[in-house]
């Protein structure tokens, strides 16, 4: 086992830097559309109008930042946990280039209005084919490297990565089945109610297997690694894993409550959504019990608070989500700004905190150095935390307000408010929301600077080569 | 045994696949085999080439990001928009465009609610029609011509029926025409509620010409009606109230008839027995303005008619000219 080998760190770094570039693009677009929603004059060109840019925002952050980070950090985790380099290092490099070209083309075509109009599956069919190819490349490398591993047992993080590989493949292929009618135009293979059911089976689970399982893989690996605390309960992580992977795929119909979808599908979806609280909180409890071994780490280890706040938002998200699925709650908040408030707690809270902390761990490790500045990392932490809380809370408040106004009746039994009266009440909250988004972006800029300066420091030390197999 | 799977990647992957497929099969694949996932209402028509071109533009501009197309079966929702959405309305929708966020109002029942000219003006500059609206401008769609070749390919891809003439006609249409044609057919398969049937056309205005009622009616008029009928009721997108005509025929209507057309919109024309303007489309305000408010509006309209009849001819002409410009 002592043969000399090198981990493919340059590839990992390439993915992380790519994800950072797409993060900046996606966040700036996000800030712009958050302002357009109260300042329609800023829709200054067809390609820069809200309807198109909202899709650019979700795709660039979901697929550019999200998948980019998942690719890079999964490769890192897989190599460390199998104690070997990737089985196909050149394939991983090719995949990196294809990934960046694909995301760039997604940016351009979506801004031009080429869209399938399926949420989180907007990219048109040629790009879908490219994504499937990318995913096969990723799967071959991950599964291949695991098969050729030098460590008998697969650690929890590998389970979640394997689940991600399998589930995304099934989801993405089925929902993107389409009838092509032009070079960049297609129609969903499924129609009407069936189209809605397939899309939300996909839509909910692509969030689950892109923003939950791979992020949990990061949490279960980088949180113990950076704090030195072993995961509290292996048994709990087993139960949580299997019930999550089994339960997730039943729940998409909670996006279609009170829609024309047959009632039994809605109800079964709601039931499994409530069930999903258990496995989600399995990981939350495991995280808390782990830091419970030494709460002092929250003070002494700058990364501990990222992971613990991250898993906290995951816990809140996975209680809020099922609550929203309940019919009585859905009828109040569905279609309102509550929903973006909910989504952004997951993305800006759970995902962003966990991914950035993982990057903070990985980058210095790859260069055998320390982070450029712990102080800057702390500044980043507080900015994104405050920004996210403002963003989410304003959405929840104005969402409840608008939902209640839509439902309000006069004593005579007529509607109390016109639609416009309910809309203009959102404006002050939308202003605040943009402020929250801007604070979040400043925090992310601090993060990017810190990472880039660490890389610069690492390169100066010429510490890029890692030769001995370290403990996983 | 149970612990062994964590050192057997292939077995483990197969088990994960089985877990993932279980819910997918029950919730996604199996329902496809059931007829209740593919219902079709009797009155549902496939898209015409112009409507499909409009739907493509609706998709391209991401309208679905701000507008839903499902009326939920909730009391206030049905009052605000119209009958709740039926599964059989969406047989031809690939993909469905129900949306997940209602930044602007729901559009499932938008078809026929307002005249084409209202939509054209609203797409051009939403804020001019609906003050404080946050809708982006889409006036540029008027300059974009349709491409009959690609629309034909889209119709063929979906297997929808069309005539060569329908395709040929597209060459003279703009993207704006197409988008309006699409919006105007939304909800066509569902019978509109016949609220007009229950209206009492002989009802008498309880407020008559009380000055307080006229003042209150004026405020309601400015907030809801002036956009289409003009600040002085001289008309615009909608007809004038002071031209001695009512619903396309000479002579004013009764109080009850005015109440009916405001409350039930164009649906009341049949009950009233007047044709209305050929491309007219009066919105129903019965769920938005309480009955007392509608009567106050009638008081205001009567006051305007009286004012018009007693005003010197020259003054009236000048008002018309300035009103006509905007």
């Amino acid at each position: 086992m002592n043969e000399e080998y090198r981990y493919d760190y340059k590839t990992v770094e390439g993915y992380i830097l790519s994800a950072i570039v797409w993060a900046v693009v996606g966040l700036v677009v996000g800030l712009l559309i958050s302002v357009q929603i109260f300042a329609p004059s800023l829709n200054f060109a067809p390609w820069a109008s809200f309807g198109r840019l909202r899709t650019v925002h979700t795709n660039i952050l979901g697929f550019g930042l999200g998948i980019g980070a998942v690719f890079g950090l999964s490769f890192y985790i897989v190599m460390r946990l199998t104690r070997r380099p990737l089985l196909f290092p050149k394939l991983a490099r090719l995949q990196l280039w294809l990934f960046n070209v694909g995301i760039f083309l997604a940016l351009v075509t979506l801004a031009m209005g080429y869209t399938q109009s399926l949420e989180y599956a907007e990219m048109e069919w040629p790009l879908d084919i490219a994504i499937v190819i990318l995913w096969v490349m990723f799967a071959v490398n991950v599964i291949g490297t695991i098969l050729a591993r030098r460590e008998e047992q697969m650690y929890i993080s590998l389970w979640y990565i394997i689940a991600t590989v399998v589930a995304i493949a099934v989801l993405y292929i089925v929902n993107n089945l389409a009838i092509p009618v032009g070079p960049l135009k297609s129609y969903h293979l499924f129609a009407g109610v069936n189209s809605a059911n397939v899309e939300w089976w996909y839509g909910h689970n692509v969030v689950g297997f892109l923003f939950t399982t791979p992020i949990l893989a990061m949490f279960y690996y980088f949180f113990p690694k950076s704090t030195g605390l072993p995961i509290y309960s292996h048994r709990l992580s087993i139960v949580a894993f299997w019930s999550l992977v089994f339960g997730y795929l039943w729940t998409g119909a909670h996006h279609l409550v009170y829609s024309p979808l047959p009632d039994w599908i809605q109800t079964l979806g709601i039931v499994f959504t409530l069930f999903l609280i258990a496995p989600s909180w399995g990981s939350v409890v495991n995280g808390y019990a782990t830091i419970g071994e030494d709460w002092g780490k929250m003070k002494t280890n700058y990364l501990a608070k990222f992971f613990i706040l991250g898993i906290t938002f995951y816990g809140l998200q996975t209680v809020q989500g099922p609550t929203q699925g309940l019919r009585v709650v859905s009828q109040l908040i569905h279609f309102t700004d509550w929903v973006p408030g909910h989504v952004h707690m997951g993305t800006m809270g759970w995902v962003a905190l966990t991914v950035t902390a993982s990057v903070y761990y990985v980058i210095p490790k790859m260069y055998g150095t320390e982070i450029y500045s712990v102080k800057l990392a702390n500044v980043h932490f507080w900015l994104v935390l405050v920004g996210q809380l403002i963003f989410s809370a304003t959405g929840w408040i104005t969402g409840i307000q608008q939902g209640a106004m839509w439902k309000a009746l006069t004593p005579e039994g007529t509607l109390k408010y016109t639609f416009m009266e309910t809309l203009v009440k959102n404006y002050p909250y939308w202003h605040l929301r943009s402020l929250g988004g801007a604070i979040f972006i400043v925090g992310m800029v601090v993060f990017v600077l810190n990472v880039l300066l660490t890389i610069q420091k690492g390169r100066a030390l010429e510490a890029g080569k890692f030769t001995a197999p370290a403990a996983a | 045994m149970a612990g062994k799977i964590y050192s057997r990647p292939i077995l483990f992957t197969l088990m994960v696949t089985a877990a993932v497929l279980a819910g997918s099969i029950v919730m996604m694949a199996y329902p496809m085999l059931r007829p209740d996932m593919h219902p079709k209402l009797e009155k549902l028509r496939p898209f015409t080439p112009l409507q499909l071109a409009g739907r493509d533009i609706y998709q391209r501009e991401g309208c679905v990001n701000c507008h839903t197309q499902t009326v939920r079966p909730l009391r206030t929702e049905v009052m605000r928009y119209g009958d709740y959405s039926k599964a059989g309305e969406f047989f031809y929708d690939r993909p469905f465009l129900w949306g997940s966020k209602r930044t602007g109002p729901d559009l499932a029942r938008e078809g026929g609610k307002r005249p084409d000219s209202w939509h054209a003006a609203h797409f051009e500059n939403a804020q001019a029609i609906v003050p404080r609206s946050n809708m982006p401008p889409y006036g540029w769609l008027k300059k974009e011509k349709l491409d009959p070749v690609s629309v034909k390919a889209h119709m063929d891809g979906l297997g929808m029926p069309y005539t060569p003439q329908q395709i040929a006609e597209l060459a003279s249409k703009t993207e704006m025409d197409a988008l309006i044609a699409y919006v105007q057919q939304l909800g066509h398969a569902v019978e509109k509620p016949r609220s007009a049937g229950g209206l009492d056309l002989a009802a008498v205005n309880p407020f008559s010409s009380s000055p307080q009622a006229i003042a209150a009616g004026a405020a309601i008029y400015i907030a809801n009606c002036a956009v289409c009928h003009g600040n002085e009721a001289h008309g615009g997108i909608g007809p004038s109230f002071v031209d001695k005509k009512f619903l396309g025929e000479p002579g004013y209507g009764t109080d009850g008839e005015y109440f009916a057309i405001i409350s039930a919109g164009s649906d009341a024309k049949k009950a009233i027995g007047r044709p209305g303007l050929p491309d007219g489309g009066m919105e129903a305000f019965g769920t938005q303005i309480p009955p007392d408010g509608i009567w106050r509006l009638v008081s205001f309209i009567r006051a305007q008619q009286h004012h018009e009849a007693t005003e010197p001819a020259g003054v009236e002409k000048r008002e018309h000219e300035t009103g006509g410009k905007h």
Side-chain angles (χ1 to χ4, degrees):
Chain A
M1 281 304 248
N2 272 341
E3 66 183 282
E4 286 215 351
Y5 62 86
R6 295 196 310 148
Y7 292 120
D8 307 286
Y9 281 160
K10 281 289 159 202
T11 308
V12 172
E13 189 188 278
Y15 281 106
I16 291 173
L17 290 175
S18 307
I20 284 176
V21 169
W22 296 121
V24 172
V25 175
L27 289 171
V28 168
V29 173
L31 186 62
L32 173 61
I33 60 174
S34 85
V35 176
Q36 282 175 331
I37 209 168
F38 59 77
S41 59
L42 286 179
N43 294 281
F44 52 85
W47 62 267
S49 63
F50 181 94
R52 295 195 193 175
L53 287 186
R54 190 261 176 180
T55 308
V56 170
H57 166 68
T58 54
N59 278 270
I60 296 305
L61 287 181
F63 294 98
L65 166 62
I67 290 197
V70 167
F71 280 161
L73 293 169
S74 297
F75 279 147
Y76 181 90
I77 293 170
V78 167
M79 288 190 284
R80 301 302 303 222
L81 290 176
T82 58
R83 291 174 186 264
R84 56 154 298 140
L86 294 175
L87 190 61
F88 306 108
K90 282 187 182 149
L91 186 68
R93 300 288 286 190
L94 180 66
Q95 184 195 331
L96 172 61
W97 286 104
L98 182 61
F99 163 74
N100 279 309
V101 171
I103 299 298
F104 176 74
L105 290 176
L107 172 72
V108 173
T109 56
L110 290 172
M112 288 170 74
Y114 295 105
T115 170
Q116 299 185 141
S117 304
L118 294 167
E119 258 184 290
Y120 317 122
E122 284 97 344
M123 288 178 226
E124 268 297 352
W125 65 272
L127 283 164
D128 291 336
I129 293 173
I131 288 196
V132 170
I133 293 171
L134 269 173
W135 203 258
V136 170
M137 292 165 116
F138 178 58
V140 164
N141 235 336
V142 165
I143 307 283
T145 307
I146 290 175
L147 285 174
R149 69 197 183 284
R150 294 179 178 141
E151 174 71 45
E152 176 70 11
Q153 282 280 321
M154 295 189 295
Y155 177 69
I156 312 165
S157 295
L158 291 183
W159 315 344
Y160 279 108
I161 291 172
I162 290 173
T164 305
V165 167
V166 171
I168 293 284
V170 175
L171 293 162
Y172 201 84
I173 290 173
V174 173
N175 189 46
N176 281 289
L177 292 176
I179 309 161
V181 291
L184 280 168
K185 175 73 187 168
S186 64
Y187 293 112
H188 209 198
L189 184 64
F190 314 102
V193 183
N194 197 29
S195 164
N197 192 44
V198 175
E199 154 61 18
W200 282 112
W201 162 80
Y202 163 88
H204 182 70
N205 292 296
V206 81
V207 173
F209 287 89
L210 193 56
F211 290 155
T212 304
T213 52
I215 313 300
L216 282 171
M218 295 174 201
F219 180 80
Y220 276 112
Y221 181 82
F222 294 113
F223 175 51
K225 287 298 279 188
S226 43
T227 55
L229 301 170
I231 283 296
Y232 172 75
S233 166
H234 189 69
R235 178 168 300 181
L236 182 56
S237 60
I238 290 177
V239 175
F241 173 80
W242 286 108
S243 45
L244 185 91
V245 170
F246 172 76
Y248 231 109
L249 284 294
W250 299 72
T251 57
H254 65 217
H255 285 256
L256 296 168
V257 174
Y258 286 116
S259 80
L261 186 73
D263 255 358
W264 71 268
I265 304 182
Q266 296 183 31
T267 304
L268 201 52
I270 295 170
V271 168
F272 271 90
T273 302
L274 290 173
F275 164 77
L276 215 49
I277 297 177
S280 307
W281 273 72
S283 292
V284 175
V285 167
N286 228 345
Y288 267 85
T290 303
I291 194 72
E293 293 160 22
D294 180 6
W295 276 103
K297 293 280 185 198
M298 288 290 274
K299 251 185 152 172
T300 56
N301 183 305
Y302 81 102
L303 288 177
K305 63 180 169 295
F306 281 86
F307 287 111
I308 288 301
L309 261 292
I311 202 79
T312 303
F313 285 121
Y314 176 64
L316 294 173
Q317 187 79 356
T318 51
V319 170
Q320 194 182 55
T323 310
Q324 287 165 220
L326 296 171
R327 283 194 169 89
V328 64
V329 180
S330 174
Q331 56 169 275
L332 180 68
I333 54 90
H334 196 42
F335 299 142
T336 71
D337 277 276
W338 173 285
V339 180
H342 168 70
V343 173
H344 285 83
M345 174 165 68
T347 51
M348 297 162 101
W350 156 240
V351 177
L353 286 175
T354 309
V355 169
T356 52
S358 303
V359 170
Y360 275 147
Y361 173 83
V362 164
I363 293 287
K365 187 90 179 166
M366 293 195 301
Y367 285 106
T369 179
E370 295 297 321
I371 187 77
Y372 173 79
S373 166
V374 171
K375 200 175 256 177
L376 276 185
N378 287 334
V379 171
H380 153 212
F381 173 83
W382 288 107
L383 286 174
V384 297
L385 180 65
V386 170
Q388 182 261 122
L389 287 173
I390 294 175
F391 194 107
S392 298
T394 51
W396 299 330
I397 295 167
T398 199
I400 292 173
Q401 175 183 267
Q402 194 171 27
M405 288 177 85
W406 285 346
K407 289 167 74 75
L409 290 170
T410 60
E412 293 87 19
T414 54
L415 294 173
K416 194 164 179 192
Y417 302 102
T418 65
F419 188 86
M420 276 309 292
E421 283 172 321
T422 72
L423 186 145
V424 297
K425 290 271 189 189
N426 289 331
Y427 283 132
Y429 294 97
W430 283 342
H431 297 158
L432 264 175
R433 181 169 74 172
S434 290
L435 176 71
I439 294 172
F440 182 87
I441 289 182
V442 173
M444 289 300 281
V445 168
V446 173
F447 159 74
V448 172
L449 283 177
N450 211 358
V451 169
L452 294 180
L453 289 167
T454 307
I455 290 177
Q456 196 184 45
K457 179 178 154 194
R459 284 186 182 164
L461 284 169
E462 292 182 336
K465 285 175 190 161
F466 196 84
T467 46
Chain B
M1 169 59 203
K4 285 248 172 73
I5 58 167
Y6 304 104
S7 48
R8 290 186 175 174
I10 292 181
L11 180 64
F12 180 87
T13 305
L14 289 176
M15 286 178 66
V16 167
T17 309
V20 165
L21 288 181
S24 304
I25 287 168
V26 178
M27 300 300 281
M28 182 275 291
Y30 161 68
M32 286 192 201
L33 308 175
R34 293 169 56 99
D36 60 356
M37 290 299 273
H38 312 278
K40 185 175 162 235
L41 289 185
E42 213 168 298
K43 287 183 70 186
L44 186 74
R45 297 183 305 267
F47 296 107
T48 65
L50 186 65
Q51 289 165 355
L52 184 71
R55 192 174 196 270
D56 290 344
I57 294 157
Y58 189 94
Q59 282 191 265
R60 186 187 72 197
E61 297 312 321
C63 305
V64 70
N65 284 324
C66 286
H67 292 284
T68 53
Q69 284 187 22
T70 25
V71 178
R72 296 178 290 178
L74 304 173
R75 180 183 174 194
T76 46
E77 201 127 305
V78 171
M79 289 170 74
R80 191 179 296 280
Y81 300 110
D83 203 358
Y84 64 87
S85 293
K86 316 281 186 279
E89 287 183 70
F90 305 98
F91 185 81
Y92 296 110
D93 276 35
R94 291 172 196 264
F96 78 114
L97 292 174
W98 297 351
S100 62
K101 178 70 171 55
R102 199 175 272 166
T103 303
D106 187 273
L107 300 180
R109 299 285 171 258
E110 189 60 28
K113 241 184 206 177
R114 301 174 177 86
D116 288 359
S117 48
W118 185 93
H119 285 290
H122 184 256
F123 279 127
E124 176 100 39
N125 182 356
Q127 288 73 32
I129 308 278
V130 183
R132 301 202 70 192
S133 163
N134 59 348
M135 173 135 157
Y138 290 99
W140 56 275
L141 293 174
K142 281 197 306 196
K143 293 184 214 118
E144 305 292 327
K145 290 276 175 213
L146 293 180
D147 172 21
V149 179
S150 68
V151 177
K152 183 175 177 297
H154 296 177
M155 291 295 282
D156 289 337
L158 289 172
M160 294 211 178
Y162 58 86
T163 63
Q165 198 199 343
Q166 281 179 312
I167 300 292
E169 280 169 5
L170 295 175
S172 62
K173 301 282 187 186
T174 66
E175 292 193 340
M176 177 78 89
D177 299 327
L179 185 55
I180 292 172
Y182 170 67
V183 170
Q184 291 290 35
Q185 62 76 47
L186 287 173
H188 73 266
V190 171
E191 197 87 15
K192 293 225 168 62
R194 295 281 134 197
S195 47
L199 291 168
D200 178 8
L201 299 176
V204 180
N205 185 353
F207 299 110
S208 185
S209 57
S210 116
Q212 293 92 339
I214 293 170
I220 299 170
Y221 180 87
I222 292 299
N224 295 279
C225 321
V227 167
C228 289
H229 296 282
N231 285 340
E232 309 272 326
H234 283 135
I237 289 172
S240 164
F241 298 144
V242 293
D243 58 354
K244 301 193 173 63
K245 285 186 202 150
F246 177 56
L247 290 176
E249 286 181 347
Y252 293 133
T254 65
D255 284 357
E257 286 171 347
Y258 277 105
F259 185 97
I261 190 81
I262 296 169
S263 177
S266 287
D267 288 345
K269 284 179 192 169
K270 212 172 171 188
I272 295 169
R274 293 190 184 218
L277 299 180
D279 58 346
M282 171 69 183
E283 191 181 340
F285 284 90
T287 55
Q288 297 175 42
I289 307 173
D292 283 2
I294 296 181
W295 282 124
R296 289 181 169 102
L297 265 176
V298 174
S299 298
F300 170 75
I301 290 168
R302 291 296 190 210
Q304 287 298 107
Q305 290 170 347
H306 178 72
H307 172 70
E308 193 74 14
T310 55
E311 210 168 46
V315 178
E316 186 192 337
K317 195 156 175 269
R318 241 199 352 265
E319 277 180 9
H320 268 298
E321 278 161 6
T322 47
K325 256 176 209 159
H326 98 132

